[in-house]
Amino acid sequence: MSNATLSPLPSADRPETAARLRDALLAASFTADGLLDLLGAPAYAALARSETVPALRATRGDSPLEMLVRLFLLQQPVPHARVADALPVDACLEAGWLVRTGGDEIAATVDVRPYGGPGGEDWFIVSDLGCAVGGAGGIGSRDEGVVLGVGGASTTLAGITVRTPVAAALDLGTGSGIQALHASRHATRVTATDVNPRALHITALTLALSGAPAVDLREGSLFEPVRQDETYDLIVSNPPFVISPGARLTYRDGGMGGDDLCRTLVQQAGERLTEGGFAQFLANWQHVEGEDWQDRLRSWVPRGCDAWIVKREVQDVTQYAELWLRDAGDHRADPVEYQARYDAWLDEFEARKVKAVGFGWITLRRTGSAVPSVTAEEWPHPVEQPLGDAVRAYFSRLDYLRTHDDAALLEQHFRLAEEIVQEQVGLPGAEDPEHVVLRQNRGMRRATKVDTVGAGFAGVCDGSMSAGRILDAIAQLLGEDPVLLRDRTPAQIRLLVEQGFLEPVG
């Protein structure tokens, strides 16, 4: 479809109507909790899979909430008379939230999805019709200028973002405004940019309908709308990171060759950060034949920044092409056209010698350290969201380790972090385990192998004794030279501190 098929948007200049609509939605319990209570878990989960039949069956009654779900989430016309008591219909018609569809029926002009904020806020994410995740349209043919609602990527980014009070935050490629909405809770000033003016309009609607303060909206690509003298304490972006031939779909395709958009975004972020400021992105990157993916990503990190890069998954080029062809609805098109598009993707990857595509998180922090830390790791295992506090703590631990050499480390007191368990792995009946694993049940939920000394050290860390005294006691128990044990153990202690198994006391 073309841009001409996109429906007109509600006016963003009528905050009083948005406020009245918000009050009406809340009064009818059109909230995340209210939807779960109304639909039940199976129908609610089906919406996330873009299956609407269970939700349609659950909303066949006449209650205000059922009508609102059919109207704003399932895109079903409803009789004017059945919502007249639940909504300020005339004001919504005048402002463009609703339109008449013939007879006595009205329809919504945008998707409105209830979304629970981290502090229990009742927020509403506005998106184009059929483009809310779990909306009536589901995954299908997408217009090049369409604005999507909340998806797995956007909620992932919101969860990993560091949430400390800041003066200024920047949301690059705001889309439906979910990151700007989160930032408005803890940033004095929020700037949101997008190359698509329709996205900026929808962001304004999302903020108004959620009862959040307005933000500074700017049109343009990447950092183009940002003045040279502007810096931020927090930069977030869920960019159009899909590596595709061409830039057919604005909401997902970066329009640069390969992974150049993500590389450019990361490289340019450093100079826009205040000292100690964070920049956090989702990204795709190429796994190129003969090149280590970690080296590729490390080369993106700008000077003066620590970086923590986490690869969450990787797909071979055929899986990747099929995923995004389905996303655009191309699998429903003419088979010859589908094959031609598939070939174009594989031609692009072959020309660039790309064997696979990685997906993950990139966090930068502006640092004054003479030797910044750059870590690139693979962690495909389940984590506990939200992770923002864990991300901030990781960089705090880096600072701690920078300022403590091995001698200072041995003078420190440590305690085992909360919810750490020890697993011993070995053959049944064996006297000694083959190896010992420490496992976290919080945050990144890491697991790391330790030797006998490491396991014993971690087990007695309660903050009462210095690391050196603990090692001396272990040496005596094992009959080892305490000097040699003190020499070889700090590296293991550093790793346990860096990964969050041990916490410095005080």
Side-chain angles (χ1 to χ4, degrees):
M1 53 184 173
S2 66
N3 273 331
T5 64
L6 288 173
S7 63
L9 295 173
S11 170
D13 298 324
R14 301 200 177 196
E16 70 287 345
T17 301
R20 290 180 63 192
L21 175 56
R22 171 178 171 77
D23 290 342
L25 297 178
L26 294 176
S29 295
F30 186 72
T31 62
D33 290 341
L35 284 191
L36 183 59
D37 290 341
L38 171 68
L39 302 178
Y44 193 76
L47 276 179
R49 302 190 300 270
S50 301
E51 296 291 348
T52 59
V53 172
L56 288 167
R57 291 174 62 85
T59 55
R60 290 179 291 190
D62 292 334
S63 73
L65 180 55
E66 288 168 291
M67 289 299 98
L68 293 177
V69 171
R70 293 177 72 86
L71 185 65
F72 285 113
L73 197 59
L74 303 176
Q75 278 82 65
Q76 299 293 308
V78 300
H80 183 295
R82 292 173 73 176
V83 291
D85 292 336
L87 286 177
V89 175
D90 291 340
C92 288
L93 285 167
E94 186 177 349
W97 290 94
L98 303 173
V99 292
R100 299 185 187 277
T101 61
D104 193 36
E105 290 190 322
I106 56 174
T109 58
V110 288
D111 263 308
V112 176
R113 173 182 170 174
Y115 178 86
E121 302 91 346
D122 287 312
W123 288 341
F124 300 97
I125 310 302
V126 179
S127 61
D128 272 313
L129 289 173
C131 293
V133 173
I139 301 298
S141 181
R142 296 278 173 79
D143 182 277
E144 64 178 19
V146 77
V147 179
L148 269 60
V150 179
S154 52
T155 55
T156 293
L157 178 60
I160 68 172
T161 299
V162 175
R163 301 293 177 193
T164 52
V166 295
L170 173 64
D171 174 18
L172 286 179
T174 188
S176 59
I178 178 62
Q179 309 305 330
L181 184 56
H182 275 278
S184 70
R185 296 182 69 248
H186 63 101
T188 303
R189 175 172 59 88
V190 179
T191 301
T193 73
D194 206 289
V195 71
N196 182 3
R198 189 175 182 87
L200 298 176
H201 190 134
I202 283 180
T203 291
L205 298 176
T206 290
L207 293 165
L209 197 59
S210 297
V215 305
D216 182 4
L217 300 172
R218 303 183 191 179
E219 183 180 345
S221 177
L222 300 181
F223 289 98
E224 288 176 2
V226 180
R227 296 193 311 271
Q228 286 294 323
D229 62 342
E230 287 182 297
T231 56
Y232 297 87
D233 308 295
L234 174 67
I235 299 172
V236 292
S237 184
N238 176 20
F241 53 64
V242 177
I243 300 170
S244 64
R248 187 160 59 109
L249 301 174
T250 304
Y251 73 87
R252 70 168 206 194
D253 299 326
M256 296 184 185
D259 51 18
D260 283 355
L261 182 134
C262 289
R263 175 184 58 79
T264 301
L265 180 62
V266 173
Q267 288 180 336
Q268 294 182 355
E271 62 185 6
R272 304 293 186 177
L273 286 174
T274 59
E275 187 70 21
F278 286 92
Q280 298 184 266
F281 314 107
L282 302 186
N284 274 181
W285 54 81
Q286 298 172 149
H287 285 227
V288 179
E289 185 177 351
E291 178 186 67
D292 186 296
W293 74 268
Q294 294 173 317
D295 291 341
R296 184 180 191 86
L297 271 291
R298 288 189 185 101
S299 74
W300 293 6
V301 178
R303 288 184 177 183
C305 287
D306 292 323
W308 183 20
I309 300 160
V310 181
K311 183 171 77 173
R312 295 291 289 158
E313 60 182 291
V314 62
Q315 291 182 312
D316 67 48
V317 292
T318 59
Q319 292 174 312
Y320 189 79
E322 290 162 14
L323 169 67
W324 295 109
L325 286 166
R326 286 194 301 271
D327 172 79
D330 292 325
H331 62 305
R332 297 176 183 152
D334 176 75
V336 175
E337 183 179 347
Y338 175 77
Q339 182 174 339
R341 290 193 186 278
Y342 200 150
D343 267 331
W345 282 70
L346 297 186
D347 286 344
E348 177 85 1
F349 287 131
E350 186 176 328
R352 295 178 176 275
K353 297 184 178 180
V354 176
K355 300 301 181 184
V357 177
F359 168 81
W361 319 324
I362 299 175
T363 299
L364 307 177
R365 185 190 61 166
R366 190 78 186 175
T367 179
S369 173
V371 184
S373 167
V374 178
T375 298
E377 62 174 318
E378 184 171 3
W379 189 253
H381 310 293
V383 299
E384 181 192 41
Q385 286 275 36
L387 269 173
D389 287 345
V391 172
R392 179 175 52 81
Y394 169 82
F395 286 92
S396 295
R397 293 193 298 270
L398 287 185
D399 288 339
Y400 172 84
L401 292 171
R402 276 196 186 108
T403 57
H404 290 74
D405 61 18
D406 288 356
L409 209 62
L410 293 175
E411 294 298 320
Q412 295 295 301
H413 293 231
F414 299 93
R415 61 169 165 255
L416 196 64
E418 292 183 1
E419 298 196 39
I420 303 293
V421 297
Q422 177 178 303
E423 300 172 359
Q424 300 190 59
V425 181
L427 294 173
E431 185 174 342
D432 296 313
E434 292 179 13
H435 58 262
V436 176
V437 174
L438 298 181
R439 188 178 301 277
Q440 300 168 345
N441 285 320
R442 305 297 303 273
M444 289 291 288
R445 292 179 172 161
R446 292 186 182 277
T448 189
K449 290 181 182 179
V450 291
D451 61 18
T452 303
V453 173
F457 181 88
V460 298
C461 277
D462 60 4
S464 63
M465 295 173 61
S466 70
R469 287 187 61 194
I470 293 174
L471 290 180
D472 291 343
I474 292 175
Q476 187 173 3
L477 284 173
L478 299 179
E480 290 199 30
D481 184 332
V483 175
L484 293 179
L485 196 61
R486 279 174 171 255
D487 284 344
R488 68 178 173 85
T489 307
Q492 192 169 188
I493 297 174
R494 285 185 180 279
L495 180 64
L496 292 175
V497 172
E498 180 182 335
Q499 295 190 342
F501 289 93
L502 293 179
E503 299 174 344
V505 175

